[in-house]
């Protein structure tokens, strides 16, 4: 359904090669973060699961403790982009002795490859999970067909 390739600048990158699998891999996958840490500066990594059902693809992003109004789900040029931009908070005035998580900015992009009815996409946020339902386009999602080998 999608290939995801995005660096810290938000620009899309294409990658080809062995080992990408059905849904591609994240930009920076073959690089060690110690060598190329610039790719993650300013953005936090938000894990996603993608489920395929008979009628839709369902993307679930694990992103707890967000303000729903600061989430943005947009489609443009057959790419679904999910982003979060928190408002400036008094939290920035806090002094932490240790901080292992934050609710900072993130962005994820998923190429839809014409397989989704874009006008029927829906999204909900509950219990720290952003759930985006992408109804399949029946014209481009044909069932698997077994071919007899002679």
């Amino acid at each position: 359904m999608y290939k995801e390739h995005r660096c810290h600048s938000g620009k899309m990158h294409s990658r080809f090669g062995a080992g990408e699998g059905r849904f591609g891999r994240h930009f920076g996958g073959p690089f060690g973060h110690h060598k190329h840490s610039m790719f993650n500066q300013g953005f936090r990594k938000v894990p996603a699961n993608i489920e395929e059902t008979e009628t839709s693809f369902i993307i679930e992003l694990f992103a707890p403790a967000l303000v729903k109004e600061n989430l943005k789900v947009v489609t443009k040029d057959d790419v679904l982009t999910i982003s979060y931009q928190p408002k400036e908070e008094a939290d920035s005035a806090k002094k932490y002795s240790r901080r292992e998580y934050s609710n900072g900015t993130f962005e994820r992009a998923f190429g839809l490859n014409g397989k989704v009815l874009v006008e029927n996409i829906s999204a909900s946020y509950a219990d720290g999970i952003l759930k985006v339902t992408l109804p399949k386009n029946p014209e481009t999602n044909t069932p698997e067909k077994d071919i007899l080998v002679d």
Side-chain angles (χ1 to χ4, degrees):
M1 177 195 72
Y2 84 96
K3 281 187 177 269
E4 177 188 42
H5 306 289
R6 202 169 269 280
C7 73
H8 71 286
S9 68
K11 294 182 180 176
M12 296 295 287
H13 295 274
S14 60
R15 297 189 56 100
F16 301 95
E20 285 195 4
R22 183 172 181 184
F23 293 115
R25 61 181 155 178
H26 304 294
F27 185 76
F31 302 110
H33 292 290
H34 62 282
K35 290 183 180 179
H36 299 281
S37 63
M38 67 179 234
F39 291 111
N40 290 323
Q41 289 178 356
F43 285 95
R44 67 182 177 125
K45 191 68 171 171
V46 179
N49 291 340
I50 300 176
E51 177 186 354
E52 183 175 357
T53 68
E54 289 280 326
T55 59
S56 63
F57 298 100
I58 300 169
I59 299 175
E60 292 181 328
L61 266 73
F62 179 70
L66 302 182
V67 176
K68 184 168 54 171
E69 291 75 26
N70 297 338
L71 282 165
K72 189 173 183 181
V73 180
V74 177
T75 59
K76 182 179 179 185
D77 299 328
D78 209 28
V79 174
L80 174 77
T81 303
I82 301 168
S83 61
Y84 182 75
Q85 180 68 47
K87 303 289 186 223
E88 289 296 321
E89 298 178 14
D91 193 45
S92 60
K94 292 181 181 178
K95 186 174 181 179
Y96 292 93
S97 60
R98 181 180 184 114
R99 187 169 187 175
E100 294 186 359
Y101 74 92
S102 71
N103 291 329
T105 301
F106 71 81
E107 184 173 283
R108 297 286 303 261
F110 305 90
L112 303 177
N113 301 326
K115 296 193 174 281
V116 172
L117 296 171
V118 176
E119 59 278 356
N120 296 335
I121 295 173
S122 62
S124 62
Y125 180 72
D127 300 326
I129 305 290
L130 174 64
K131 183 177 180 180
V132 181
T133 303
L134 307 145
K136 288 182 177 180
N137 183 346
E139 294 176 9
T140 57
N141 286 286
T142 56
E144 187 176 280
K145 180 181 177 184
D146 288 334
I147 300 171
L148 180 64
V149 179
D150 291 332

